[in-house]
Amino acid sequence: MTPEFSAPPTATYRLQLQPGFPFAAAEKAVPYLADLGVSHLHLSPVLGAVPGSTHGYDVVDHSVVRAELGGEEGLRALARTAAAHGLRLVVDLVPNHMARPAPASLNGPLWSVLRDGPASPYARWFDIDWEGGHGGRLLMPVLGGRLADELPTMRIEGDVLRYHEHAFPIRPGTERLPLPQLLDAQWYRLSWWRLARTELNYRRFFTISELIAVRVEDPEVFRATHATVLRLVEDGVIDGLRIDHPDGLADPAGYLTRLSQATGGRWTVVEKILTGDERLPRSWACAGTTGYDALRHIDGLFVCPEGAELLFGAYRDAVAPLADRGGDWEETVRQAAYEVVTHDLAAEVDRLVRTATRISERAPHHGDHAPWAVRRALHELLVRLPVYRPYAQDPWCAERDAAMLESAAEGAAAAFEVREEARSVELVRDLALDRRGGDAEGDDAADRADFAARFAQTAAALHAKSVEDRAFYRYTPLLSACEVGGDPGCPAVTVDAFHAFCGHLQENWPTSGTVLSTHDTKRSSDVRARIAALSECPEGWREVLTRLNTRTALTLDGPEPDPQMAWAAWQTAFGMARPGAGAEPGTAAAPRTCAGTDLYRQNGIAPYRQNDVTSYPQDGVTSYPQDGVSFERLEPAILKAVRESALHTTWTEQDSAYEEAVTDFLEAGPCSPAAAAELAAFADELSPFVRANVLGAALLHLTMPGVPDLYQGTEREYTALVDPDNRAPARYSPEFLADVDGGTDGGAAAGDPHGFPDLSAEKLRLTAAALRLRRAHPDWFGPEGTYRPLHAEGDPDRHCVAFARADRAVTVATRLSLRLAESGGWHSAALRLPEAPSGVWHDLLTGRDFEGPSVPLAALLDRLPVALLVLSAR
């Protein structure tokens, strides 16, 4: 049964709150954001977090609104100001975990558990296996070295044990014991941080030991951890919720049902990552996902499938990767999964082994499944799951997930050398599906339920770590496809597939969230749009890389790092390059590598000029200007990439010599003035096609089914890399909208077809027009509206993506524009518009009117590569 919700947003705008951007700063931005056209502000987590946190996901206190942001009064003041301008608030909620902070006293419930152990009233809050070794104690992997070496740095102060910045409670009655005996007498065991990988006995968020999981499936824990937020919902301060990482919960469907009942059906979206053809369970009491599925479909439209294959050929020739180290997507994912499940998630797998072994020992054939065989079965089954997790207890998913696990089990069994030993796979499969039978009761029933939930939670952590945080950094032919929810092995999306996805959203999840950039995207949408253009010019990119690598090799002082890193670094640098920057003084202009600019100029469309930082108001869009490639921004992103890929260095086993070589390469190569000029020249050539990608993606996002969520600053051109680059405090100025409200002439391109239009201004104009249209006509774009694909006649290669909303608004975007230019342009292609017995179609982006029923695309798109038509009375 579909739950009832309050009126959904027409569009949300994500603000990344932090001490440098508190509620008061958000309050100052309200007039601008209301004028922009959104209906809701989307706030990052607002509850008590670790002091200084720039994201807020490290919650330490559910009972208070974070003081560093302005406290509850600051949040209420923001809500009042927002309401005065017609806006409401959506808040990010973190139900799955809390921080294990330093000092631990910052987390009151955890402090109580550390002091009183299982007798603490908060012991039920945390997912702790008290019987999982360590003499019934909770492992605290915080020591910089082995315990014996760290003892001299510990001290006792009253009833507190201190170790550097850490503090732990002393169990009552043990205060006077000598330090070694005192440590043994606590409900926790202090240990070397490296022991967390294999010895941890509490569930954590992914592989982050500093985040301890919360058992929100317990009704008492749910009430305690949600009381503040629910009170703010009841008071009208909060109008909607974004749920962080529901796959980490024991029972996502049950949690969402309880939450929907508690909020009265407020609009709620979940950060659920769907893969392939996976669909969100219809049984979930939510409006839909946060939108990574939409991101994949939009991005894929602007990838040329044939060019992507050629680009892969250039990548293979330049990098020569092994198949399972970046040479083949599926093999790369499988290898990464093996590494993560056997190494990073060893503690999680061990707990599953212990539970399965207990269940096995209760069976009639005692000892048939040795622990090593169960562990092997778990490894082989988990790495073969194609989705983040199964939902065995959800009737909506049961049939699909049973088939998925059966298929995975067949492959897992085949990996065993001895057929009889492969029977352990059957045990694991049945437990994962929670096939407990009618005779399961007591401890056996509890263990079986625990195994099924933990198997699913471990599967989610494995998929996230092995795909998002490892394979995406190893398989890099086209970096724009290496995004959460993406499929780098098949990056292109057809127009028909896009329309089918939109039709599914409109029919089943019409108020689901949609996104292009988030606080978690590895590259902002505009960076990805530029990189995607390389799929239309693969040979040109090969030529550019050859020149760049040759020049860098001559100037590099020291050993060259691996070519896989170099490929990713150059592509990232191109994504940040500044078109219109010109050649370096005293150097010859780089030779042309594609005929893109000339082709588009022949059709009356010019490259764009990236907005110069000096022309921004003093308070820029973000604290990071659009300044092209810089070492300060590129180095952290590339170092993060090589550590996540774990091919030469990792976060925990860093190879300093290799990382120094990477840094030297970046200085001599991508961040050098000569390379910047070369990249800028190539960016100039591709700028008309990047412009089409940027504006096309933005317009599709803002007008397709669902509720668009804009990340801070992305209404203008926004080039950002992975965090922390994309989490800088936002800054706003009402001057941004002055030009938009002054007229709609289509931007500089209309008046000067041989100049460089300002992409930021064009994108802002487009964004404001689409958002204001959605807000003025929610019935066109919401659940009561319709979505109808439109197809252009005379466009056999489907360069036009168009659709109608409620037959009153029409979106038109250009895809694969370089290929279109190579074929000579639109020729006689025309778009047939919805029937309109009376009225004309007014383009909100250029201010022009068009008569139906058919409009030549060459006329419609001669100023901009996009159009937003609205049926108006004559």
Side-chain angles (χ1 to χ4, degrees), residues 35 111 126 238 331 378 394-395 417 422 436 584 737 742 766-767 801 833 835 874:
D35 200 17
W111 183 266
F126 303 106
I238 295 174
E331 291 195 35
L378 279 162
D394 190 327
E417 291 78 12
R436 64 184 75 179
E584 181 188 17
L737 286 169
L766 177 155
T767 301
V801 184
L833 301 172
E835 291 187 12
R874 290 182 182 274

Side-chain angles (χ1 to χ4, degrees), residues 73-97:
E73 182 48 44
L75 177 60
R76 288 179 178 273
L78 171 59
R80 288 192 296 269
T81 299
H85 287 79
L87 305 183
R88 303 295 298 275
L89 304 184
V90 171
V91 167
D92 205 335
L93 190 58
V94 188
N96 179 62
H97 57 265

Side-chain angles (χ1 to χ4, degrees), residues 825-843:
W826 291 112
H827 297 293
S828 61
L831 181 67
R832 189 169 187 83
L833 301 172
E835 291 187 12
S838 62
V840 296
W841 291 94
H842 178 71
D843 184 4

Side-chain angles (χ1 to χ4, degrees), residues 798-863:
R798 311 293 289 277
H799 291 290
C800 175
V801 184
F803 53 80
R805 304 305 311 273
D807 283 347
R808 298 300 302 272
V810 171
T811 289
V812 186
T814 306
R815 67 185 287 264
L816 308 185
S817 54
L818 174 53
R819 295 285 186 247
L820 174 66
E822 289 173 338
S823 67
W826 291 112
H827 297 293
S828 61
L831 181 67
R832 189 169 187 83
L833 301 172
E835 291 187 12
S838 62
V840 296
W841 291 94
H842 178 71
D843 184 4
L844 296 179
L845 305 183
T846 63
R848 299 180 296 173
D849 292 335
F850 295 90
E851 298 279 351
S854 186
V855 177
L857 289 174
L860 179 64
L861 303 176
D862 63 340
R863 297 187 182 181

Side-chain angles (χ1 to χ4, degrees), residues 294-364:
L295 182 155
R296 176 169 66 90
H297 282 85
I298 295 172
D299 274 9
L301 277 175
F302 299 95
V303 174
C304 174
E306 297 81 10
E309 286 293 324
L310 293 174
L311 193 65
F312 176 80
Y315 163 79
R316 182 188 55 219
D317 293 344
V319 174
L322 297 175
D324 61 357
R325 297 296 196 277
D328 176 85
W329 172 240
E330 296 297 335
E331 291 195 35
T332 298
V333 170
R334 182 69 56 81
Q335 176 60 32
Y338 271 120
E339 293 170 7
V340 172
V341 78
T342 58
H343 186 273
D344 305 74
L345 294 174
E348 285 75 7
V349 171
D350 279 351
R351 180 162 178 181
L352 287 170
V353 170
R354 291 194 299 271
T355 305
T357 301
R358 284 198 304 271
I359 296 171
S360 173
E361 289 172 348
R362 298 187 188 107

Side-chain angles (χ1 to χ4, degrees), residues 224-237:
T225 55
H226 287 64
T228 300
V229 167
L230 293 178
R231 174 169 53 80
L232 292 168
V233 169
E234 185 176 357
D235 290 350
V237 176

Side-chain angles (χ1 to χ4, degrees), residues 777-794:
H777 300 284
D779 52 322
W780 297 0
F781 297 92
E784 303 305 317
T786 58
Y787 176 89
R788 183 147 67 96
L790 300 177
H791 302 293
E793 300 169 349

